[in-house]
Amino acid sequence: MKNYLLLILKLFLFWWIIFLVNRIIFILFFFQKFSGIPVTETLTTFVHGIPLDFSAACYVLILPVLLLLFQQFTSLNFYRHFLLSYTVIALIITSFICVFDLAIYSDWGTKLSYRAIHYLKYAKDGAAFTKFSDSVLLLVLLLIQLLVGLLLFRQFFRSRNYQFVWRDARFLKVVAIHLILSILLFLGIRGGWQQIPINESSAYFSKKQILNDAAVNTVWNAGKKFMQDNKSLYTNPYRFLPKNEAIDLVKTLFTVQKDSTISVLTTTRPNVVLFLLESFTADVVQALGGENGVTPNLDSLIQHGLLFNTIYSQGFRTDQGLADVLSGFPAQPNFSIIMQPEKFKHLNFLPERMAANGYHTSFFYGGEAAFANMKAYLLAAGIEKITDKNSFSADEMNAKWGAHDGYVFQKQATDISSERVPFFSVILSLSSHEPFEVPMETKFPGEDAAAKFKNACAYTDESIGEYFEHVKKEEWYQNTLFIIVADHGHLQPYNRNPREPARFHIPLIFYGPVIRESFRGTKISNLGMQSDLPATLLAQLKIPYREFAWSNNLLNPFRNNFAYYTSDDAFGWMTDNGSMLYDSKNNTIQNHHLSETEMKSGKAYLQTLFDEYISY
């Protein structure tokens, strides 16, 4: 019995060490993020991570312990082969989860979520956005973990015999021991006898998010996200208030003293070209208080156009931004509605509304339109013509993942000239996406992420300048409204906290000859969101927009100003008075000058939004 229990202890220690290796790799991979943090504080993550490490190890041990017990009642010695096969498979899975988490954290600034796991079906397409050197590094780290695990396995489990002789007289003792083992495994999984099972909060200990994320067991987190967040597709995890009270509060947010709009256009039927710029945070636009010299062409357009200078994205991925802008449907934590055709078919669509009013609709993109289910969404949205990487020649495919912005913008300018008017044309840019490799002379020297990001944004800005030089010569230009907005913000170039409001601050620009002279060079400071665009545009075109219930006309002087944004497991709420951040992981609120009523309105907003999402 002693050797039997020692074997179970070895199984537990083996997996605990594997999870310690996972954490070491996380810390080394993000070494720069830990700069300035005392070594002792970084080492503390191993202490605070123990409860989740133990829980994860107990989960992994359920099957090996059960089969080890089962073998004691058979004459077969199958456990040695089982243990090797099980361990190899488990090591491959846990090692993959570890490196996948590294890749997601590098890009999103958050640990694995259900939405990230859902993205695995697009792994081949997504890999094209990763530099070859980064992909190789991740592969090497995966192999290192496998090698360490196999060497450790060989050291721990040399025995060829896993059968232990138990005399009948000791039957009651054996039963008692296994009852205790079962209880210990159960307690290890849930983290103790406490009323609420263990969660991420047990690993949180610091105001520095990177330390908390290092302490959270990556495998435990991925399993929880997959199981729990999958349930959230059908149940609302953000139930703060009685349903009717939440609905009434949201209605109040959208209730105005007068349904009015400031008309800023000279016509109600202009052509509309909508630029959806990849990752274009306000931090690279000088007119919005960002870096100098990155976007001189955008800054020039702003001087002669209409700038909405306090606009925020609702999510941080392109698929979220598409639904925000083209459906006026705000992003939800952890999920993307365009990944779910059974849900997005219930949305309203700006292109469809434009088409119903005589507009020809088109979409131009240098990447693969099928990525993240975009093509299915765009077709449902009423886009008549989709142009993606398959429409470009080999010599225009100057990047492994598609055509750069200069080629895409040029193609749209050429193709749209042969389309009937009025037209509604959407251009989704790509070059300012990782890995930030662009075909231009380096403008901002350096190999760090901030410099590369600024260079990529500068290239997109340069391409915008060339685009306007071209289209100003076209006949259709004089009757065209150009709208420029980002699909989401970005952590760079200031290495923002993934959850701070500034990370979601984006430009929204109206530009073109159809802008009234009196509004050119004007700034509109109404606090709003990218999901407010459908209502704002349709109001200018005198097209009904009430069906876009989550879109709030930015040019209605009687509107209520507010903005919402989401990060995985958290959401932010802003009014003219301040902001708050709610973290659902540990049920905490960071409040910056909001009243209790304003915070309640923010909670009601997300609760009602998520109720509608799961009702589709």
Side-chain angles (χ1 to χ4, degrees):
M1 181 59 67
K2 179 180 178 182
N3 290 334
Y4 178 82
L5 293 177
L6 182 61
L7 174 59
I8 293 176
L9 179 61
K10 282 185 176 182
L11 287 169
F12 180 85
L13 289 175
F14 172 81
W15 283 107
W16 185 30
I17 293 172
I18 292 300
F19 296 141
L20 294 181
V21 172
N22 292 161
R23 183 171 293 112
I24 291 170
I25 287 176
F26 181 91
I27 293 171
L28 293 177
F29 190 85
F30 295 109
F31 178 78
Q32 290 184 333
K33 292 181 181 292
F34 287 87
S35 62
I37 299 176
V39 174
T40 53
E41 200 170 345
T42 299
L43 292 176
T44 307
T45 61
F46 291 89
V47 177
H48 290 277
I50 288 175
L52 290 184
D53 290 343
F54 278 20
S55 178
C58 288
Y59 272 115
V60 178
L61 283 184
I62 293 174
L63 186 58
V65 171
L66 286 176
L67 288 184
L68 180 62
L69 174 62
F70 177 75
Q71 172 161 290
Q72 309 317 310
F73 300 98
T74 71
S75 59
L76 299 175
N77 189 13
F78 66 86
Y79 195 77
R80 178 169 61 90
H81 301 291
F82 159 76
L83 186 60
L84 176 60
S85 300
Y86 178 84
T87 303
V88 170
I89 293 172
L91 281 173
I92 291 173
I93 293 172
T94 56
S95 299
F96 176 78
I97 289 173
C98 179
V99 297
F100 187 38
D101 181 76
L102 296 178
I104 291 297
Y105 200 92
S106 296
D107 192 10
W108 296 9
T110 62
K111 301 282 283 182
L112 277 178
S113 64
Y114 180 78
R115 184 159 51 85
I117 295 169
H118 193 63
Y119 260 89
L120 279 174
K121 67 172 68 176
Y122 304 106
K124 182 178 179 181
D125 300 287
F129 292 95
T130 305
K131 287 194 303 182
F132 178 74
S133 57
D134 290 343
S135 299
V136 171
L137 176 58
L138 292 173
L139 178 60
V140 169
L141 291 175
L142 187 148
L143 294 175
I144 288 174
Q145 290 178 85
L146 286 175
L147 180 61
V148 170
L150 291 174
L151 291 174
L152 198 62
F153 178 85
R154 183 181 178 186
Q155 184 68 30
F156 270 49
F157 308 107
R158 295 177 181 273
S159 174
R160 292 183 176 272
N161 180 22
Y162 292 97
Q163 287 181 311
F164 302 88
V165 178
W166 296 339
R167 296 190 179 93
D168 293 341
R170 305 181 66 182
F171 179 76
L172 289 179
K173 184 177 181 181
V174 169
V175 171
I177 287 175
H178 281 89
L179 181 61
I180 294 172
L181 277 176
S182 299
I183 293 173
L184 289 176
L185 279 176
F186 172 76
L187 290 177
I189 286 171
R190 80 183 306 276
W193 282 115
Q194 72 280 0
Q195 184 177 1
I196 301 174
I198 194 172
N199 56 45
E200 295 93 331
S201 296
S202 65
Y204 275 45
F205 69 98
S206 173
K207 293 182 180 180
K208 303 179 181 70
Q209 187 62 37
I210 186 68
L211 292 175
N212 296 327
D213 290 334
V216 171
N217 183 286
T218 299
V219 175
W220 183 95
N221 175 73
K224 186 226 178 185
K225 294 302 181 187
F226 184 79
M227 298 302 294
Q228 187 181 66
D229 289 346
N230 187 30
K231 295 177 182 177
S232 297
L233 291 172
Y234 312 103
T235 58
N236 191 343
Y238 306 103
R239 181 95 32 213
F240 305 107
L241 305 165
K243 186 173 182 178
N244 289 336
E245 181 183 355
I247 291 173
D248 289 341
L249 282 171
V250 172
K251 285 181 179 178
T252 301
L253 290 170
F254 288 93
T255 299
V256 294
Q257 299 175 15
K258 185 178 180 182
D259 187 9
S260 178
T261 191
I262 301 170
S263 180
V264 300
L265 304 182
T266 59
T267 176
T268 59
R269 282 298 178 273
N271 303 307
V272 179
V273 176
L274 171 61
F275 281 88
L276 199 55
L277 301 184
E278 169 68 46
S279 303
F280 243 73
T281 169
D283 288 337
V284 296
V285 182
Q286 184 176 349
L288 292 171
E291 289 275 307
N292 296 339
V294 180
T295 59
N297 290 290
L298 273 188
D299 288 320
S300 176
L301 297 181
I302 288 170
Q303 292 176 11
H304 300 92
L306 182 65
L307 172 66
F308 299 85
N309 62 357
T310 49
I311 302 299
Y312 292 81
S313 67
Q314 280 61 80
F316 57 97
R317 302 300 301 173
T318 299
D319 47 289
Q320 294 173 311
L322 278 172
D324 284 324
V325 173
L326 297 184
S327 289
F329 192 73
Q332 312 81 43
N334 298 312
F335 301 104
S336 170
I337 196 167
I338 79 166
M339 305 278 276
Q340 301 162 283
E342 72 281 4
K343 289 185 179 292
F344 71 57
K345 67 181 182 181
H346 296 283
L347 297 177
N348 292 289
F349 302 105
L350 179 58
E352 184 178 60
R353 182 56 54 87
M354 299 291 279
N357 285 269
Y359 280 81
H360 176 267
T361 58
S362 59
F363 180 86
F364 291 81
Y365 179 50
E368 176 58 63
F371 179 68
N373 215 38
M374 289 195 303
K375 185 177 181 180
Y377 171 80
L378 293 169
L379 291 173
I383 296 291
E384 300 169 69
K385 177 184 177 182
I386 297 177
T387 300
D388 70 354
K389 65 184 293 184
N390 298 309
S391 301
F392 293 87
S393 61
D395 61 332
E396 291 174 317
M397 300 291 288
N398 62 334
K400 61 180 180 180
W401 35 259
H404 269 304
D405 292 346
Y407 296 106
V408 178
F409 296 175
Q410 182 183 23
K411 184 167 183 60
Q412 190 273 351
T414 301
D415 288 5
I416 207 68
S417 296
S418 60
E419 296 292 348
R420 60 176 171 81
V421 293
F423 53 74
F424 176 71
S425 185
V426 181
I427 306 172
L428 175 59
S429 75
L430 186 61
S431 296
S432 46
H433 193 291
E434 289 85 353
F436 310 133
E437 295 173 352
V438 292
M440 66 174 286
E441 185 177 343
T442 300
K443 188 174 182 180
F444 298 93
E447 290 299 315
D448 58 295
K452 290 183 176 181
F453 176 69
K454 287 192 292 183
N455 274 315
C457 291
Y459 167 74
T460 297
D461 179 77
E462 183 179 280
S463 299
I464 289 173
E466 294 171 352
Y467 172 86
F468 278 102
E469 284 296 316
H470 177 90
V471 301
K472 284 180 179 179
K473 304 170 186 177
E474 300 294 333
E475 184 177 346
W476 54 264
Y477 173 79
Q478 293 302 321
N479 190 48
T480 302
L481 169 65
F482 298 91
I483 300 175
I484 301 172
V485 65
D487 61 347
H488 54 81
H490 203 277
L491 303 178
Q492 299 300 337
Y494 298 138
N495 195 26
R496 295 282 190 188
N497 184 303
R499 295 176 174 180
E500 66 175 302
R503 186 256 179 107
F504 298 87
H505 188 198
I506 59 173
L508 173 58
I509 306 163
F510 281 18
Y511 173 81
V514 296
I515 300 288
R516 294 181 186 273
E517 288 279 357
S518 57
F519 286 100
R520 297 181 187 179
T522 301
K523 292 183 179 181
I524 303 293
S525 297
N526 288 339
L527 174 64
M529 307 180 282
Q530 65 186 163
S531 56
D532 293 334
L533 181 58
T536 305
L537 174 60
L538 293 174
Q540 291 299 303
L541 306 184
K542 300 192 183 304
I543 298 174
Y545 60 88
R546 289 302 171 196
E547 291 85 352
F548 293 88
W550 295 96
S551 194
N552 192 12
N553 183 5
L554 291 164
L555 290 169
N556 184 343
F558 302 100
R559 77 192 296 274
N560 294 310
N561 291 331
F562 59 87
Y564 150 90
Y565 66 86
T566 179
S567 179
D568 285 343
D569 298 308
F571 81 94
W573 183 253
M574 291 176 281
T575 72
D576 290 333
N577 297 321
S579 65
M580 79 164 185
L581 176 70
Y582 172 78
D583 187 335
S584 63
K585 280 185 177 180
N586 50 19
N587 193 29
T588 60
I589 292 179
Q590 298 175 21
N591 179 21
H592 301 282
H593 312 301
L594 289 189
S595 66
E596 288 295 326
T597 301
E598 288 174 312
M599 288 195 293
K600 185 182 286 189
S601 294
K603 292 179 177 180
Y605 184 95
L606 176 56
Q607 176 179 320
T608 306
L609 173 68
F610 211 93
D611 274 341
E612 183 168 327
Y613 164 75
I614 62 177
S615 72
Y616 289 156

